[in-house]
Structures are given as C-alpha cells and as structure tokens.
C-alpha cells in the first residue's frame, strides 16, 4: 500500500507529491487529464496577490513565505529538469490605485518596498504605456513565473522520482469511507492509501460531496489572452514589468509575449472562452499599452479558479474522516501560495513543526 495518494495534479498536488517523495515516502498522484493543465496552466503567473493589502493576514503570511522561496524553487527545477519556469523579479507598477494609504501602511507592516513614483519614473521604466498616467505605485520586488513551464518542470521532476507513481488519465469518480479507511473509486478499480490528500482545485468540493460533505470551494472562471509582440530593435521588450490598472493586468514573458487578464465569472464548470470577454480584455490591454493594437492575439483561453470564502484555502485534515486531507481553495493566488500551502500540509502529514500557524486554514 502507498503511504500517500494525492488526487489532482495541479501545482498544489505536484508540489505536495514532490515534498513527500523527497522525504522518502511512496506517493501516487492521480490526475484525470495531464498534470498541470487546468487552473495551474491557465493562470497568469504573478507571484503575489494582485492588491496584497486588500487580503486577510492569513493570505499575506502564505504569500510572503512563498515569495521568498520562489527564486530557489525555480533554480532547483531548472537545474534538475532543464525546464526553466522563467522566474523574473522585475517589479509591478500599480496604476490608478484609490486606496494608496492602505497600500503603503500594509507595505510598511510587511517590510515590503512600495512607493509612489511620478510620471518621469513610470515612463522611464515603461515608455510604451499609454501617455495618460500621472503617477503609479511601484513594488520593485514583485516576481512572475511562466506557469505552464512551472507545471511542465514539476511534472518532469516527479517523473524522474522512483518513489512517485503518476497515474494520468485516471479520474477519481468518488470517495467512500469504510472501516476507518478512505477508498477512491476509479474506472480501473478502488485505490487505497494510509493517507489521501485532495488537491482537486475547483473540483474538490464535488469530490467531497460524494462523502456527503460540503466544502465551500466553487469554480470561478477566468479568461486571459496573449499577444505575440514583434522583436524590438534595441533589445528592449514592448513591456518589461507587470502593470496593473483597475483590476486588469499585463504580464510580459521573457520572449516579449504579453498576457492580459483576467475576467471573474461565476459560470459553474464551463470553460468556454467568450467573444464578450475577448473584446473586454482586448480593450483593457490596448488602453494600457496602445502598441498591442498592432500585435497578433495568439491565444485566448479560460480556466477555473478554486474559489473559497475570502480566498483563504482549506489546508489540513477533513474532520471526522481519518486519513483524509485537503489542500484546495487558493482562488486567485494558487500559484503564489503553492509553495507555502503545500509545505504547511506536508509539515502536518510528517509531524514537523509548521512553517506557519495552521489555524486560519482549518476546515
Ligand atoms: C485566469 C487565471 C489567472 C490566474 N492568475 C494567477 C496569478 O497570476 N497568480 C496566482 O498565484 N494564481 C493565479 N491564478 C490562480 C491559480 O491558477 C490557481 O489558484 C491554482 O492553479 C490552483 O491550483 P490547484 O492545483 O489547486 O488546481 P488545478 O491546477 O486546477 O489542479 C487541480 C487538478 O485536479 C484534477 N482533478 C480534479 N478532479 C479530479 C478527479 N476527480 N480525479 C482526478 N483528477 C482530478 C484536475 O484535472 C486538475 O488538474 C489564476 C487562475 C486563473 C484561472
């Protein structure tokens, strides 16, 4: 029997599997599609909550730990898999922020650099932005990753580990609790392990329903687009750093591509991209960076965020069900929170001192 069965191969499931395997355990990861192809692929890759001062302290705690850890994580994945998750720490420019005082106060408390900068500074950093902004808030330490590559690197890492079994294309159809044991039902037969960890993202609530349990994790659809930008002659990209205005953001990739995101839609489990969202994202992108009007829209997609009350993830044991754990509901911040959120649960599973107080994340 395996030590651990993990359901769901997004960043949460994969990082959990990696850490448990690193500690010498036998781990099986069950994924109904291919690992890293749902929300963890669809996201933008900002390694911070969008407006971090607007979130509860429990999110800031996880985020701070993860942000500190991301450079090391990316370096390790590149060295061990040859796949570069493209962690870049180029900072973020906030445009038109109406709660600046709260932002500055939060930054002081968190010991984060955040300052108001004038138009000269702004256009020196990003000369191609629309010429309509008087100032900005500047957070120089903000990082981003290319999350589809993060997913590929994690998957490659797991494939290289002898104590990890990856079962892709296998759906867990439901859970049963028999004789103090959690049983996973699959098309090919039941699966059991000493401990089962549910990392099913937006679908985690559905899985728990099969046990008669209600976890308030629900899908929140997000649509994004990517523009392919032409090579720039002086070696400078059209956009170098993340820019955020009125809830919409532009994220540059190292090869010059620019992503625009995102919508927030309550549309059940429907992932169909819509013309309406495309037009709205396009308008936001061109309003911030007019040169994008001359660039090709390479792709437009949608993903399902695992929404939860206040965006606080559920991390820990499922009450009343021995051997069952959950790590889900990271909402808009699962990519940034993943390292800390998974480490916190692994601490619990392995009887280690927790990196953070786990209380705010209990079911
Ligand atoms: C448009 C958009 C932009 C975003 N931008 C950012 C950002 O910039 N920064 C950030 O930090 N976060 C961002 N996010 C949020 C982030 O992507 C998610 O919070 C995170 O990826 C969740 O990871 P996860 O592993 O829990 O879920 P997922 O990546 O969705 O993984 C869950 C996995 O479980 C599998 N699964 C589910 N049910 C079953 C079953 N019954 N049997 C087998 N397998 C199953 C699924 O197939 C899936 O692969 C964004 C999300 C979206 C959609």
């Amino acid at each position: 029997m395996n030590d651990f069965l993990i359901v769901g191969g997004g960043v949460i499931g994969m990082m959990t599997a990696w850490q448990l395997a690193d500690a010498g355990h036998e781990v099986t990861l069950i994924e109904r599609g291919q690992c890293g192809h749902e929300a963890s692929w669809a996201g933008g890759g900002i390694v911070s909550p969008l407006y971090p001062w607007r979130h509860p302290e429990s999110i800031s705690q996880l985020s701070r730990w993860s942000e500190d850890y991301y450079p090391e994580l990316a370096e390790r994945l590149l060295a061990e898999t040859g796949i570069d998750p493209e962690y870049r720490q180029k900072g973020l420019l906030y445009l038109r922020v109406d709660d600046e005082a709260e932002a500055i106060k939060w930054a002081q408390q968190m010991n984060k650099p955040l300052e108001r900068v004038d138009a000269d500074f702004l256009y020196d950093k990003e000369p191609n932005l629309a010429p309509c902004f008087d100032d900005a808030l500047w957070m120089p330490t903000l990082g981003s990753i290319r999350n589809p590559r993060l997913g590929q690197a994690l998957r490659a890492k797991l494939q290289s580990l002898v104590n990890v079994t990856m079962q892709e294309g296998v759906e867990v159809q439901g859970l049963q609790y028999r004789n103090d044991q959690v049983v996973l039902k699959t098309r090919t037969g039941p699966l059991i392990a000493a401990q089962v960890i549910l990392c099913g993202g937006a679908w985690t609530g559905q899985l728990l329903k099969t046990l008669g349990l209600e976890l308030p994790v629900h899908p929140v659809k997000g649509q994004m687009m990517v523009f392919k930008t032409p090579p720039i002659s002086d070696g400078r990209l059209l956009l170098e750093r993340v820019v955020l205005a009125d809830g919409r953001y532009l994220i540059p990739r190292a090869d010059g591509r620019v992503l625009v995101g995102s919508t927030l839609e309550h549309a059940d489990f429907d992932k169909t991209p819509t013309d309406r969202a495309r037009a709205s994202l396009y308008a936001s992108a061109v309003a911030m960076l007019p040169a994008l009007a001359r660039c090709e829209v390479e792709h437009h997609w949608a993903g399902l965020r695992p929404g939860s009350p206040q965006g606080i993830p559920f991390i820990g044991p499922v009450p009343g069900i021995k051997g069952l754990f959950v790590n889900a509901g990271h909402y808009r911040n699962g990519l940034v929170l993943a390292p800390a959120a998974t480490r916190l649960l692994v601490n619990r599973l392995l009887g280690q001192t927790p990196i953070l107080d786990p209380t705010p994340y209990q079911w």
Side-chain angles (χ1 to χ4, degrees), residues 7-13 30-48 170-173 199-204 207 220-224 249 251 262-263 301-306 327-337:
V7 182
V11 285
I12 301 296
I30 319 284
E31 165 56 50
R32 72 172 157 216
Q34 184 176 312
C35 287
H37 272 223
E38 285 291 350
S40 301
W41 175 89
I46 301 176
V47 180
S48 166
V170 175
E171 181 169 20
V172 174
Q173 294 164 328
C199 306
W203 297 269
T204 309
L207 276 165
V220 183
K221 179 176 177 180
Q223 302 192 45
M224 294 194 76
Y249 50 82
I251 307 173
S262 60
T263 64
W301 66 91
L304 298 178
R305 307 176 184 90
N327 201 344
H330 308 77
Y331 189 37
R332 303 191 80 174
N333 301 312
L335 295 165
V336 54
L337 302 186

Side-chain angles (χ1 to χ4, degrees), residues 179-245:
N179 308 324
D180 281 349
Q181 178 109 55
V182 179
V183 181
L184 305 186
K185 288 191 284 176
T186 72
R187 214 175 351 111
T188 49
L191 294 169
I192 52 168
Q195 326 242 36
V196 174
I197 307 149
L198 302 181
C199 306
W203 297 269
T204 309
Q206 281 190 329
L207 276 165
L208 282 158
K209 259 203 184 104
T210 64
L211 278 176
L213 299 171
E214 285 287 338
L215 183 75
V217 170
H218 56 276
V220 183
K221 179 176 177 180
Q223 302 192 45
M224 294 194 76
M225 293 197 316
V226 61
F227 290 83
K228 197 169 176 181
T229 63
I232 305 280
S233 51
D234 62 0
R236 206 177 161 139
L237 303 176
L238 196 59
L239 185 76
E240 294 276 354
R241 40 195 65 74
V242 181
V243 179
L244 179 56

Side-chain angles (χ1 to χ4, degrees), residues 12-247:
I12 301 296
M14 287 196 284
M15 286 193 198
T16 307
W18 185 13
Q19 291 170 58
L20 291 170
D22 249 4
H25 295 278
E26 293 290 327
V27 182
T28 294
L29 178 61
I30 319 284
E31 165 56 50
R32 72 172 157 216
Q34 184 176 312
C35 287
H37 272 223
E38 285 291 350
S40 301
W41 175 89
I46 301 176
V47 180
S48 166
L50 279 187
Y51 296 94
W53 56 91
R54 297 180 190 167
H55 291 273
E57 171 70 10
S58 51
I59 302 275
S60 295
Q61 293 288 341
L62 287 173
S63 176
R64 183 158 58 175
W65 195 95
S66 290
E67 285 178 57
D68 287 347
Y69 182 65
Y70 248 103
E72 181 188 331
L73 172 69
E75 259 176 46
R76 194 175 158 198
L77 282 171
L78 174 59
E80 295 178 21
T81 69
I83 300 170
D84 186 358
E86 287 183 15
Y87 177 78
R88 302 164 86 225
Q89 199 173 16
K90 296 258 182 172
L92 186 151
L93 287 159
Y94 291 95
L95 306 171
R96 288 198 288 258
V97 173
D98 55 17
D99 53 354
E100 184 180 312
E102 284 85 349
I104 301 283
K105 192 170 151 207
W106 171 89
Q108 283 164 351
Q109 281 165 358
M110 300 299 288
N111 206 13
K112 281 240 177 219
L114 181 72
E115 59 172 328
R116 180 205 276 243
V117 292
D118 63 14
D120 287 346
F121 181 99
L122 174 62
Y123 292 104
D124 180 54
K125 289 274 181 218
E126 294 299 346
N128 299 308
L129 285 179
C132 58
F133 302 107
D134 297 328
D135 55 23
L137 277 183
W138 168 231
M139 187 187 280
T141 53
L142 181 125
S144 64
I145 43 126
R146 192 160 182 163
N147 43 299
R149 298 219 176 146
L150 174 70
Q152 284 171 23
L154 287 167
R155 181 169 180 258
K157 179 67 209 171
L158 294 180
Q159 283 170 332
S160 74
L161 296 173
V162 288
N163 51 343
V164 175
T165 305
M166 293 174 76
Q167 295 199 13
E168 294 186 321
V170 175
E171 181 169 20
V172 174
Q173 294 164 328
L175 308 174
Q176 285 178 338
Y177 190 49
R178 288 191 300 224
N179 308 324
D180 281 349
Q181 178 109 55
V182 179
V183 181
L184 305 186
K185 288 191 284 176
T186 72
R187 214 175 351 111
T188 49
L191 294 169
I192 52 168
Q195 326 242 36
V196 174
I197 307 149
L198 302 181
C199 306
W203 297 269
T204 309
Q206 281 190 329
L207 276 165
L208 282 158
K209 259 203 184 104
T210 64
L211 278 176
L213 299 171
E214 285 287 338
L215 183 75
V217 170
H218 56 276
V220 183
K221 179 176 177 180
Q223 302 192 45
M224 294 194 76
M225 293 197 316
V226 61
F227 290 83
K228 197 169 176 181
T229 63
I232 305 280
S233 51
D234 62 0
R236 206 177 161 139
L237 303 176
L238 196 59
L239 185 76
E240 294 276 354
R241 40 195 65 74
V242 181
V243 179
L244 179 56
D246 310 322

